Amino acid sequence: MLIGEVARRSGVSARMLRHYESLGLVEPTGRSGAGYREYSSDDIRRIFHIESLRSLGLSLREVRRALDDPGFTPAQLVDDLIRQTRQRIAAETELLTRLRRIGAAQPADWADVLQIVALLQALGSEHAGRRQRAALSSAGEAAVPVEALVEAVLSESDPNVAGALRWALAQSADGAPALLAAGLDAPVAEVRKRAVQSLAEIPDGDATALLRDTLAHPDLVVRRYAAIALGTRGVAEAIPTLIEMVVEETNEADAADALTALAGEPEVAERIATRLVDRLTDTSVGPPERRRLTQALADIPGRTAATALGELSHDEDRAVALTATYILTLRDGR
């Protein structure tokens, strides 16, 4: 079979076939009377073998070795190809992500593109100060895409940088809550914590809805951060979690403040007071917990809280009685 026919049937150009011949990869078995190359069935089979190995990413040198070295074993070479392919995919994925983020920012001109690229690079810097400056400047005219900010805040361990990133997210366009929602289900506890902390600083309705759902989250830390944020937003569903935080002395000051914020509505204030009293009368609650629950009643208005404090002022636990008496004195002075 002449070279032109081989090229048509194999899909390998005549020029490439000549290149293979020059490298000694495949040589035509014979020549025609006119001096044209003639390829045998074995030659064509070798051409297909060459193309198959090239499709795996082997270089022509590696292809020749694989076909001509009887002692060649493919295992190590295949492992190397897998490693190289993974590295290439990672690099291409990173580039694709960067390009997508630049596109999402809708730059007006190349100056905007360059500014966004600089900010993205700064967010990935090894230096905390540079990351923090990038976060604080990300709300400018050429804003960093929300997706990049979310990725940064979920991976940030420096508290100052994390605070700046949460601020930037709170200033950003819509879409941050939905992206942060994935972080709530991350396998790493610290990432889940960063996600709920970030949601807590976003004031929109989508963030509030997510925080509301998070009250049933299996991670106790996540539930507690959500409860504090919801309490300050007037969401009464947070009351049970907030009261348990007081009992367990976990961010109890923030929990008590959130309860006080919720108690602005008389009906809600009665609900809070009733739950606090229920916990006070629970026999499983020890003296230290009862003192904290008594203190939590201090800023809860209404009849239920006042009645409970009056009774507690005569409690057999002297510390509880003194606390209740002091609170009543303050309330009477208002």
Side-chain angles (χ1 to χ4, degrees), residues 217-252:
H217 198 282
D219 187 327
L220 181 59
V221 172
V222 170
R223 294 202 302 271
R224 288 168 172 168
Y225 274 104
I228 291 172
L230 289 169
T232 60
R233 299 181 193 198
V235 179
E237 290 95 322
I239 292 172
T241 302
L242 292 170
I243 290 176
E244 290 310 305
M245 291 174 67
V246 172
V247 172
E248 296 167 13
E249 201 175 11
T250 305
N251 287 355
E252 70 277 7

Side-chain angles (χ1 to χ4, degrees), residues 243 255-276 293-307 309 327 331 334:
I243 290 176
D257 288 343
L259 288 170
T260 300
L262 283 166
E265 293 290 332
E267 181 181 345
V268 178
E270 289 299 304
R271 286 174 57 187
I272 294 171
T274 300
R275 283 186 170 271
L276 288 169
L293 287 165
T294 302
Q295 290 169 349
L297 283 167
D299 293 315
I300 308 301
R303 180 180 301 175
T304 301
T307 301
L309 287 167
I327 293 171
R331 289 164 73 102
R334 291 174 184 173

